[in-house]
Amino acid sequence: MLTWKDIINFSVNGNLKPDKRIEKSEAEWQSQLTPEQYRITRLKGTERPHSGDMCTSHEAGIYSCICCGTLLFDSTIKFSSGTGWPSFTQPIKDNAVKYEKDTTLGMVRVEIMCNTCDSHLGHVFPDGPEPSGLRYCVNSESLQLEKK
């Protein structure tokens, strides 16, 4: 189980190697994604709180990256954080998510991205429920749900 200490270590010293890498041109990403998906995943945008379809959905399944299909989060570790974005306590695999220090907006945060294609997912915070204490705050537009 990943901890906040692990997350900080990855964001400072480098991430785990992904199982595979997918790289496409910006034109290829634009042709594959809706304008909103492109803005969020490739341009590091954020959807408005409480606006995403997956914010209140608790259907069983696996959440994957909208860009490349990499499995990211299991619905069994999704929780209602009250923040307005889908929230998870752990990625499905330790190397599924990539972490980078983010100093935009005048604060220090840890950005989370798909480790396969570098798609912006959101941010991770150390204020989640036990046992990990982590809250992966993810944009709905960056995910697709493969229902069980």
Side-chain angles (χ1 to χ4, degrees):
M1 175 179 304
L2 294 173
T3 66
W4 184 243
K5 184 177 178 180
D6 297 323
I7 303 304
I8 296 302
N9 182 50
F10 292 144
S11 70
V12 172
N13 299 314
N15 290 279
L16 297 173
K17 183 179 177 185
D19 293 339
K20 63 181 178 177
R21 286 286 302 157
I22 294 176
E23 297 189 25
K24 296 182 180 183
S25 69
E26 289 308 305
E28 288 173 303
W29 288 125
Q30 280 185 308
S31 70
Q32 172 187 328
L33 302 167
T34 68
E36 185 69 349
Q37 289 168 339
Y38 181 82
R39 182 184 73 79
I40 289 169
T41 63
R42 309 317 304 178
L43 303 177
K44 301 181 184 286
T46 302
E47 62 197 15
R48 289 184 344 273
H50 305 286
S51 67
D53 292 339
M54 295 182 189
C55 189
T56 57
S57 171
H58 291 281
E59 295 183 73
I62 303 291
Y63 291 86
S64 61
C65 176
I66 195 71
C67 293
C68 70
T70 295
L71 303 180
L72 298 171
F73 302 101
D74 190 292
S75 64
T76 60
I77 50 90
K78 188 173 189 235
F79 69 100
S80 296
S81 65
T83 61
W85 291 275
S87 296
F88 303 88
T89 58
Q90 289 282 305
I92 203 160
K93 288 176 67 174
D94 288 356
N95 70 340
V97 174
K98 178 178 179 177
Y99 307 90
E100 287 190 3
K101 182 178 177 181
D102 177 3
T103 57
T104 60
L105 305 179
M107 63 181 99
V108 178
R109 301 178 292 173
V110 176
E111 178 187 4
I112 55 173
M113 293 165 285
C114 173
N115 204 15
T116 300
C117 72
D118 297 334
S119 168
H120 172 74
L121 303 171
H123 292 85
V124 62
F125 302 95
D127 61 0
E130 293 300 328
S132 74
L134 299 175
R135 174 174 54 92
Y136 287 76
C137 189
V138 185
N139 291 289
S140 291
E141 291 287 339
S142 66
L143 300 173
Q144 57 189 355
L145 175 62
E146 298 174 22
K147 297 178 186 176
K148 288 185 181 175

